[in-house]
Amino acid sequence: MMLSLYDGISGRREWLRVGGLSAVGLSLPALLGSRCTAGGVTGASGAVSAFGGELGASFGRAKSVIFLWLQGGPPQHETFDPKPEAPLEIRGPFRPISTNVSGVQFSELLPRTSRYADRLAVVRSMSTKDDNHDVSGYWLLTGYPYLTGSARQIKPTDWPYFGSIIKMLKPSERLPALTSVWLPDVMRLNDNVTPAGQTAGFLGPQWEPERFVGDPALPAYEIEGLTAREGLDRLRMDRRRDLLQQFESQLGRLESTGRVGAWDRLNQQAFDLITSGAARAAFDLSQEPDSVRDRYGRYTWGQSVLLARRLIEAGVRLVHVNWARDPGDNAVDNPLWDTHALNADRLQDNLCPQFDPTFAALMDDLTERGLLDETLVVVMGEFGRTPKINANGGRDHWGHVFSCVMAGAGIRGGQVIGASDRNGAYPATTPVTGGDFTATLFHLLGIDSTGVFHDREGRPHPLTKGEPIAGMLGECEAVSLQVAE
């Protein structure tokens, strides 16, 4: 099922009753020659990097991105930034282990991931300074801080999700309708709240990521709409394409306020069009050997990440894999990575045993298939966790400092960029912001991060106000691991 979160809707609703135009591998901007674009752009495909030297050499190295979003906020202490010298109530019960990079340690909960440290760049000084899921996540997913108040409600005036910018400026060459894909569920907080930062915002719904909601670990998993309805022959499909072309001739004369409505109507009329066998094949996990599916893990997260690999192999530019809630999970204490209670138990018994083998399988798979050099892999959540363990054995929200990991295209592995203080509470080096992250993402995809894009009214907007993270690109030296006492 494909969902839309546009038009300020808080919560879930079906975009169309069974899927949508995007769910069949077809998008109106692609069919209609991008008549519904958001205006002219600067810094699009083919742009020249505004940076020279090492930064310039890494420009455009990534053909695709797999974005692993650990929703809820993973603790830095029990993952990529252990603090063995801190008191027990801060360091927690787990030991650090050596990675395959001298002097770099991860938590013992990530034994498989530690074997890939030579291919990873770990940022230990990410910071939003905000402890709210919605506001902190918004900054990382858009590159811009939320202006005021709560970001728990989606609004048409929101800044666009970076996947929407990528869809507009760097469409897939092979599957433009599936440039930016989101699996296996939308981002939702407790009480089914869908926060801002995950939509195209003021760009309009034509630049929404394609959200495919469903559990790929289920035996009967399929994407509705990717197979033709019984009796829908090629002649009828061609007639429907002709109908779209007729609408296209009228679309340019519509006022800007009417474009979205016209686009939506065209989507409904084009719903049954089937144009991409590659899209159908990519979603068919039964084509994978059992041994591969087992290595990724036969749970929602594992099969979603495997599906992400299949999609980028088919030509999708960006696949966002959201850590999905367990069925019926609305608990305040422990939904997703939001471990307010029993942090150690949840990490040891549920979270890390899923993340660690799946991430290792992905890294192996991309390497063996020759895809890692052209695929950027990102691991992050919306923030970290408090340095001090609370009375319930949990860690609470903490946006002051946390970790992010990148690997693959254009990334210099074996790097640790920045550092937190001795307790993992605040940055001990210059903080890395959401704008810096999105600038790095755009840069590696070959989108000039210093450029601008234009909205539907023709107004220019800077892509981001951050700068690419130089320490993880090319042959630049990383920030020292040593932190002054």
Side-chain angles (χ1 to χ4, degrees):
M1 179 167 57
M2 190 279 191
L3 295 181
S4 173
L5 298 179
Y6 191 67
D7 291 334
I9 295 173
S10 177
R12 302 175 62 182
R13 73 173 176 87
E14 287 189 327
W15 183 28
L16 298 176
R17 188 178 65 83
V18 273
L21 176 65
S22 298
V24 297
L26 184 64
S27 73
L28 187 67
L31 272 183
L32 304 187
S34 296
R35 178 67 62 87
C36 280
T37 63
V41 296
T42 302
S45 179
V48 177
S49 173
F51 302 96
E54 298 292 349
L55 280 181
S58 61
F59 183 73
R61 287 282 301 277
K63 291 184 179 180
S64 57
V65 179
I66 296 177
F67 183 75
L68 305 179
W69 181 248
L70 307 187
Q71 189 185 336
Q76 60 275 25
H77 301 78
E78 285 91 3
T79 54
F80 298 103
D81 193 9
K83 298 295 180 182
E85 304 303 321
L88 179 62
E89 65 271 19
I90 291 174
R91 71 174 185 265
F94 303 112
R95 299 177 297 104
I97 57 173
S98 296
T99 68
N100 64 353
V101 175
S102 178
V104 177
Q105 294 183 319
F106 294 165
S107 168
E108 66 175 308
L109 296 175
L110 302 178
R112 294 175 178 85
T113 302
S114 69
R115 302 170 193 163
Y116 299 89
D118 60 327
R119 305 180 206 177
L120 309 180
V122 180
V123 181
R124 288 178 172 171
S125 55
M126 292 293 301
S127 180
T128 62
K129 299 181 181 179
D130 193 284
D131 300 336
N132 294 289
H133 291 289
D134 52 328
V135 176
S136 190
Y138 183 95
W139 196 353
L140 297 171
L141 294 174
T142 67
Y144 277 78
Y146 200 74
L147 294 179
T148 58
S150 168
R152 290 171 60 86
Q153 181 179 4
I154 291 170
K155 300 176 183 176
T157 54
D158 290 337
W159 195 269
Y161 161 60
F162 63 70
S164 296
I165 300 290
I166 292 168
K167 182 176 180 179
M168 183 173 67
L169 301 189
K170 198 76 172 181
S172 166
E173 296 171 2
R174 287 187 283 160
L175 288 174
L178 294 179
T179 293
S180 180
V181 170
W182 187 303
L183 305 168
D185 195 3
V186 300
M187 185 170 63
R188 63 181 78 253
L189 308 180
N190 286 333
D191 300 321
N192 211 30
V193 170
T194 49
Q198 57 182 318
T199 71
F202 61 72
L203 285 181
Q206 61 266 41
W207 303 116
E208 285 292 298
E210 320 306 330
R211 299 181 186 87
F212 296 98
V213 175
D215 186 353
L218 296 177
Y221 176 73
E222 63 178 16
I223 300 299
E224 295 180 79
L226 282 180
T227 55
R229 286 182 181 176
E230 183 178 357
L232 182 60
D233 57 23
R234 175 58 60 181
L235 177 61
R236 291 175 62 196
M237 290 166 63
D238 289 343
R239 286 175 177 171
R240 295 187 184 197
R241 181 184 293 275
D242 291 341
L243 179 62
L244 283 176
Q245 291 173 346
Q246 293 175 33
F247 271 96
E248 188 272 344
S249 66
Q250 303 295 323
L251 197 57
R253 294 195 291 272
L254 292 175
E255 295 295 329
S256 60
T257 55
R259 287 179 180 172
V260 170
W263 180 85
D264 198 30
R265 289 194 300 273
L266 286 170
N267 271 279
Q268 295 181 49
Q269 294 187 50
F271 163 66
D272 285 328
L273 284 173
I274 310 297
T275 63
S276 176
R280 282 198 305 276
F283 279 99
D284 185 4
L285 285 172
S286 68
Q287 295 186 19
E288 290 289 335
D290 285 342
S291 59
V292 173
R293 299 193 68 177
D294 291 342
R295 279 198 298 118
Y296 274 86
R298 296 281 187 154
Y299 34 80
T300 306
W301 175 252
Q303 298 303 290
S304 297
V305 174
L306 173 56
L307 183 53
R309 189 270 288 164
R310 290 182 59 83
L311 287 169
I312 65 104
E313 204 167 24
V316 175
R317 185 76 72 194
L318 166 73
V319 183
H320 176 131
V321 184
N322 203 53
W323 192 285
R325 286 177 179 268
D326 294 330
D329 183 2
N330 268 320
V332 174
D333 291 340
N334 286 315
L336 311 161
W337 288 79
D338 198 21
T339 54
H340 289 282
L342 302 176
N343 175 71
D345 291 345
R346 178 95 166 132
L347 289 166
Q348 187 172 38
D349 298 338
N350 184 283
L351 298 170
C352 290
Q354 292 185 64
F355 171 80
D356 191 46
T358 298
F359 182 75
L362 176 65
M363 292 294 290
D364 277 342
D365 220 358
L366 293 176
T367 301
E368 292 167 2
R369 293 169 178 269
L371 294 172
L372 189 59
D373 287 342
E374 60 185 40
T375 304
L376 176 66
V377 180
V378 180
V379 179
M380 68 189 313
E382 61 265 46
F383 45 42
R385 314 302 299 182
T386 49
K388 189 172 182 178
I389 298 172
N390 64 31
N392 295 317
R395 295 187 190 268
D396 300 314
H397 303 172
W398 196 254
H400 296 278
V401 74
F402 53 101
S403 298
C404 165
V405 173
M406 296 192 203
I411 296 297
R412 182 188 178 205
Q415 295 283 305
V416 172
I417 290 83
S420 63
D421 63 18
R422 70 183 72 183
N423 290 330
Y426 297 95
T429 57
T430 302
V432 176
T433 70
D436 298 328
F437 164 68
T438 52
T440 306
L441 188 67
F442 293 144
H443 173 86
L444 288 170
L445 279 170
I447 301 171
D448 182 4
S449 62
T450 67
V452 301
F453 67 94
H454 294 78
D455 62 23
R456 289 177 290 175
E457 305 301 323
R459 294 169 297 199
H461 301 275
L463 278 173
T464 179
K465 295 184 179 179
E467 296 184 358
I469 307 168
M472 64 169 51
L473 303 174
E475 298 300 322
C476 301
E477 290 297 327
V479 175
S480 171
L481 297 176
Q482 301 301 318
V483 180
E485 294 294 328

